[in-house]
């Protein structure tokens, strides 16, 4: 997934909501719904979850396979890994429907693919083709390249797969999403007649265009309620029944797969060129997120995880049991406890510095975990200094001190290191640091530590 973090103005402390967005790739659906009315969806677990929580993201082709399993109408198509397989998929679609258009889409975990550019100069991550040869040519230009969009950062994301499916002639587009909301005590449908657009922009410019409909989780989405939602969106006649059927199928997917979010944008009325004039309701593009707490009973879904789309540091941190989110500052922070970590980042900011990460080693970290944390932080070339802030409760200061010494020697630390220890076995911990021979700066309290870290980086 792509984690986008707001960068505050100088001396502006990080707010908890900002950290939460960094920790779990905040949902545009929730922010749009919040902007649309007083009963916000701010309690979306994708926003308020702890920093330790990860949310599974799927590629579009995986989402469509899963939706089809639940009876959601999607376009015919298949995934390809190279130009040859892209040609084979295209030829199969054309043999079944000679009049079909072929939509070739790069598969990455980011939006804005159509307007993106590859680092090799190839333009666009979405192409419409009329024949298999052209589709194969477009696939060859994309596979193996790095696609840069407004959500990826300048380095882009590697395209190793593409999706080729039938195009549709779209008559009208809608937005439809389902997510959990504690304010309502269950699932909430968020929908709009303004589909195919940035839902946050819709919420800002025309909040009345967004519909919110809570669903009783005990009864589920019933036929009457689904038809009422369809009517509010302007569906009429047989299209209302078709839309309501798709809404119920999407709700079944949401509940049955333990999703935290099912977002369809656009949901469209249209027909398949070459397949007759009958109009249907299609889920054209989808974003599905799932709660890691359900991994034990959704093994098939979680087996779809593509770790190549994730920050390698996040993956290493997860394996080590650390809560890590990379930011874009210059002072690496190693802290125990999410609240203390946020306070540390705030105070670093107030002293004129900029935190390079959120890293909570937890209450029972081992020396090996501390060493892993050091490697994660120092692997970031932007890190010019490191601040360790530990309050020993369950975790003992001497254990942390041993980990700090071992880690500093292992990684060959070349940036200033500031350490503040307090709590259980603090004197033993400080003695270990004094006897270690490691060049470090000690601090008496958090304010002192932050000031020293910022000064050390500025003078380095």
């Amino acid at each position: 997934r792509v984690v986008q973090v707001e960068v505050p103005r100088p001396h502006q402390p990080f707010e908890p909501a900002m950290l939460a967005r960094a920790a779990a790739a905040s949902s545009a659906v929730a922010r749009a719904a919040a902007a649309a009315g007083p009963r916000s969806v701010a309690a979306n677990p994708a926003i308020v979850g702890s920093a330790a929580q990860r949310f599974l993201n799927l590629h579009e082709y995986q989402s469509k396979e899963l939706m089809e399993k639940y009876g959601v109408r999607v376009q015919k198509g298949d995934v390809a890994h190279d130009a040859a397989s892209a040609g084979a998929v295209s030829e199969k679609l054309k043999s079944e429907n000679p009049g079909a258009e072929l939509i070739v889409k790069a598969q990455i975990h980011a939006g804005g693919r159509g307007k993106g550019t590859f680092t090799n100069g190839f333009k666009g991550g979405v192409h419409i083709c009329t024949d298999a040869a052209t589709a194969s040519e477009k696939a060859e230009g994309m596979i193996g390249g790095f696609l840069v969009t407004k959500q990826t950062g300048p380095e882009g994301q590697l395209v190793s797969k593409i999706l080729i499916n039938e195009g549709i002639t779209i008559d009208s587009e809608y937005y439809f999403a389902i997510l959990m909301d504690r304010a309502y005590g269950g699932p909430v449908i968020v929908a709009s007649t303004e589909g195919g657009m940035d839902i946050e922009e819709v919420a800002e410019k025309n909040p009345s265009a967004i519909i919110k409909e809570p669903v009783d989780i005990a009864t589920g989405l019933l036929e009457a309620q689904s038809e009422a939602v369809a009517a509010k969106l302007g569906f009429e006649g047989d299209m209302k029944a078709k839309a309501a059927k798709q809404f119920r199928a999407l709700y079944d997917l949401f509940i049955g797969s333990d999703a935290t979010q099912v977002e369809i944008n656009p949901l469209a009325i249209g027909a398949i060129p070459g397949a007759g004039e009958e109009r249907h309701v299609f889920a054209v593009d989808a974003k599905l997120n799932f709660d890691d707490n359900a991994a034990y009973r959704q093994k098939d879904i979680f087996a779809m995880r593509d770790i190549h789309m994730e920050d390698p540091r996040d993956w290493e941190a997860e394996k080590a049991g650390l809560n890590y989110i990379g930011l874009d500052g210059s002072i690496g922070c190693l802290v125990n406890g999410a609240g203390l970590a946020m306070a540390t980042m705030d105070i670093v900011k107030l002293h004129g510095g900029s935190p390079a990460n959120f890293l909570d080693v937890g209450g029972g970290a081992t020396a090996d975990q501390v060493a892993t944390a050091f490697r994660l932080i120092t692997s970031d070339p932007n890190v010019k200094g490191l601040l360790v802030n530990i309050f020993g409760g369950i975790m003992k200061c001497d254990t942390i001190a041993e980990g700090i010494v071992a880690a500093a020697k292992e990684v060959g630390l070349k940036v200033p290191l500031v350490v503040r220890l307090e709590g259980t076995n603090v004197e033993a911990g400080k003695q270990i640091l004094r006897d270690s021979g490691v060049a470090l700066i000690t601090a008496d309290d958090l304010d002192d530590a932050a000031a020293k870290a910022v000064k050390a980086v500025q003078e380095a």
Side-chain angles (χ1 to χ4, degrees):
R1 71 191 172 281
V2 178
V3 179
Q4 293 184 305
V5 182
E6 295 179 22
V7 181
R9 296 182 297 274
H11 306 295
Q12 177 191 5
F14 282 83
E15 298 176 357
M18 188 181 302
L19 254 292
R21 285 195 292 276
S26 64
S27 166
V29 184
R31 293 198 298 275
R39 294 198 65 181
S40 77
V41 193
N44 174 8
I47 292 182
V48 301
S50 70
Q53 220 166 3
R54 305 284 179 187
F55 293 90
L56 174 69
N57 289 323
L58 298 184
H59 286 293
E60 181 186 357
Y61 79 91
Q62 295 169 322
S63 297
K64 287 188 171 179
E65 288 173 359
L66 187 58
M67 288 193 293
E68 195 168 20
K69 175 183 173 182
Y70 279 86
V72 179
R73 183 179 288 275
V74 298
Q75 301 137 280
K76 285 184 181 179
D78 207 347
V79 67
H81 301 81
D82 53 34
S85 59
V89 171
S90 301
E91 287 171 2
K92 182 174 185 293
L93 291 172
K94 293 293 283 188
S95 68
E96 294 173 353
N97 177 11
E101 289 183 334
L102 303 172
I103 311 300
V104 184
K105 293 184 176 183
Q107 298 298 285
I108 60 172
H109 286 174
R113 291 171 294 173
K115 296 180 180 179
T117 302
F118 286 80
T119 54
N120 62 10
F122 190 83
K123 302 291 185 183
V126 178
H127 294 271
I128 301 174
C129 308
T130 56
D131 59 82
T134 305
S136 179
E137 179 185 325
K138 296 298 184 184
E140 187 172 18
M142 291 191 281
I143 293 175
F146 289 82
L147 179 57
V148 180
T149 78
K150 62 183 180 181
Q151 293 184 8
T152 64
E155 71 284 353
Q157 288 186 17
L158 174 65
V159 176
S160 58
K161 303 178 184 70
I162 61 163
L163 172 64
I164 302 174
N165 57 27
E166 288 183 315
I168 64 174
T169 302
I170 296 177
D171 296 335
S172 52
E173 296 181 325
Y174 303 83
Y175 176 93
F176 185 88
I178 307 172
L179 65 158
M180 286 290 187
D181 180 11
R182 290 179 188 169
Y184 286 103
V188 173
I189 292 171
V190 179
S192 175
T193 54
E194 299 189 26
M197 300 174 58
D198 184 344
I199 194 63
E200 291 178 285
E201 184 178 338
V202 174
E204 181 180 349
K205 294 182 177 179
N206 187 17
S208 62
I210 295 178
I211 297 166
K212 291 186 289 180
E213 180 77 17
V215 179
D216 186 341
I217 198 167
T219 62
L221 182 60
L222 301 177
E223 184 175 355
Q225 187 177 23
S226 64
E227 290 189 350
V229 172
K232 289 179 182 178
L233 290 171
F235 288 94
E236 298 178 341
D238 66 331
M239 294 311 302
K240 183 172 79 169
K242 288 180 178 181
K245 183 179 179 180
Q246 294 303 299
F247 297 164
R248 293 194 297 275
L250 288 165
Y251 182 83
D252 290 344
L253 164 64
F254 179 79
I255 296 297
S257 63
D258 290 298
T260 57
Q261 173 183 308
V262 171
E263 181 183 28
I264 311 299
N265 190 22
L267 181 85
I269 295 176
I272 301 290
E277 298 297 322
E278 185 179 2
R279 263 47 183 168
H280 296 283
V281 178
F282 292 89
V284 177
D285 205 351
K287 179 176 176 58
L288 310 182
N289 297 131
F290 306 87
D291 190 341
D292 279 3
N293 290 322
Y296 73 96
R297 64 184 182 192
Q298 301 289 352
K299 292 183 174 61
D300 289 345
I301 292 176
F302 278 79
M304 298 179 184
R305 180 180 183 182
D306 186 351
I307 63 172
H308 299 98
M309 291 288 104
E310 303 175 20
D311 187 327
R313 294 172 298 175
D314 290 351
W315 176 237
E316 186 177 352
E318 185 176 336
K319 289 192 294 182
L322 301 171
N323 307 326
Y324 172 87
I325 298 294
L327 304 176
D328 54 6
S330 60
I331 298 177
C333 301
L334 191 159
V335 189
N336 66 322
L340 186 58
M342 289 190 286
T344 301
M345 295 168 72
D346 273 350
I347 296 180
V348 165
K349 197 71 185 175
L350 287 169
H351 280 280
S354 182
N357 63 274
F358 171 98
L359 196 153
D360 168 20
V361 295
T366 64
D368 286 343
Q369 285 177 305
V370 174
T372 299
F374 261 65
R375 286 196 300 271
L376 283 171
I377 294 172
T378 55
S379 68
D380 182 350
N382 293 323
V383 170
K384 308 302 180 187
L386 204 160
L387 169 58
V388 177
N389 181 27
I390 298 296
F391 185 85
I394 299 173
M395 174 180 288
K396 297 177 175 61
C397 291
D398 53 342
T399 299
I400 281 289
E402 290 171 357
I404 291 170
V405 171
K409 291 179 178 178
E410 178 186 337
V411 303
L413 194 64
K414 294 181 174 60
V415 297
L417 170 62
V418 177
V419 180
R420 178 256 182 167
L421 298 178
E422 192 58 72
T424 306
N425 294 352
V426 63
E427 292 305 324
K430 289 181 177 180
Q431 188 62 48
I432 290 170
L433 295 178
R434 284 193 292 267
D435 296 342
S436 68
V438 173
L440 53 84
I441 303 166
T442 59
D444 297 325
D445 55 41
L446 176 52
D447 192 64
D448 182 41
K452 287 180 175 177
V454 172
K455 182 180 179 182
V457 168
Q458 292 173 342
E459 294 177 351

